[in-house]
Amino acid sequence: MNISIASDHAGYELKEIIKNYFDMNGINYADFGTNSAESVDYPIYAKKVCASIQTGESDFGILVCGTGIGMCISANKHRDIRAACCHDTYSAKMARLHNDANVITMGSRVIGSGLAIDIIKKFLATDFEGGRHFKRVNMYDSL
Ligand code: RB5
C-alpha cells in the first residue's frame, strides 16, 4: 500500500508526527510537503496528493490543514478523488466502508496527534464494502 501525505503550514507539525508513525511501522509513503510552518496555500498541496492517486502512484492520501475542511474541499474538486474529513474513528471507518474514500483530511487544530493516528489506522485498515454502495459511489464519481 502506498500513501501520499501533505499539509499546509497549520498541519505541518501533525504531518511530521504521522510520518514518524509510518517510519516506525514500516509503512510506505511519499511526502508532498509543505516542509515548514511558513504560510502556504493548501490547495496546492491537495493537488499534489490527488495527482499521485490519479496516476496510481499512491493508493491513499492524507491531507492535514488547520481544520481539515479546506483540504477536503480542495481534494474533492479533483476527478476520481473521494475525500472525507474525519475527526473520529467511526467516520474514518465508514468513509472507507460506504464511501470508498481514497483521501482522508484532518485538522491539526481540531484533534491531537494520538487520535489522528488512531483515525488513520482505522481508515487504512478498512476495505470498501461494495455491494449497494457501488452504485452510489459511481453516481457521485460521475457528477
Ligand atoms: C490556515 O490558517 C487555515 O485556514 C488552513 O489550515 C485550513 O484550516 C483551511 O481550511
Side-chain angles (χ1 to χ4, degrees):
M1 178 192 301
N2 289 319
I3 296 163
S4 53
I5 187 166
S7 73
D8 70 354
H9 52 287
Y12 170 69
E13 203 175 308
L14 179 55
K15 173 171 70 73
E16 296 304 300
I17 292 170
I18 296 166
K19 282 168 53 186
N20 186 55
Y21 164 74
F22 288 157
D23 288 336
M24 302 292 280
N25 289 277
I27 297 170
N28 289 330
Y29 65 88
D31 179 3
F32 288 89
T34 188
N35 298 316
S36 77
E38 190 179 327
S39 184
V40 292
D41 299 320
Y42 53 81
I44 293 168
Y45 296 89
K47 186 173 186 174
K48 290 172 193 276
V49 163
C50 292
S52 79
I53 294 171
Q54 288 168 326
T55 60
E57 182 189 342
S58 303
D59 304 299
F60 295 107
I62 298 170
L63 292 167
V64 189
C65 62
T67 61
I69 297 169
M71 283 294 200
C72 193
I73 293 171
S74 302
N76 277 316
K77 296 288 182 185
H78 298 82
R79 183 170 296 281
D80 298 328
I81 299 301
R82 297 174 294 279
C85 183
C86 300
H87 292 126
D88 64 274
T89 55
Y90 178 74
S91 299
K93 180 175 83 173
M94 297 312 291
R96 289 289 306 126
L97 262 185
H98 285 192
N99 307 112
D100 200 16
N102 50 14
V103 172
I104 186 166
T105 75
M106 290 185 288
S108 63
R109 295 170 179 162
V110 181
I111 52 169
S113 57
L115 178 56
I117 286 168
D118 279 355
I119 288 167
I120 288 169
K121 281 188 201 167
K122 183 63 82 177
F123 184 81
L124 296 176
T126 308
D127 290 327
F128 178 46
E129 197 174 272
R132 69 188 188 283
H133 302 293
F134 264 121
K135 182 177 140 200
R136 296 162 186 165
V137 170
N138 285 336
M139 285 172 81
Y140 52 69
D141 271 354
S142 63
L143 288 173

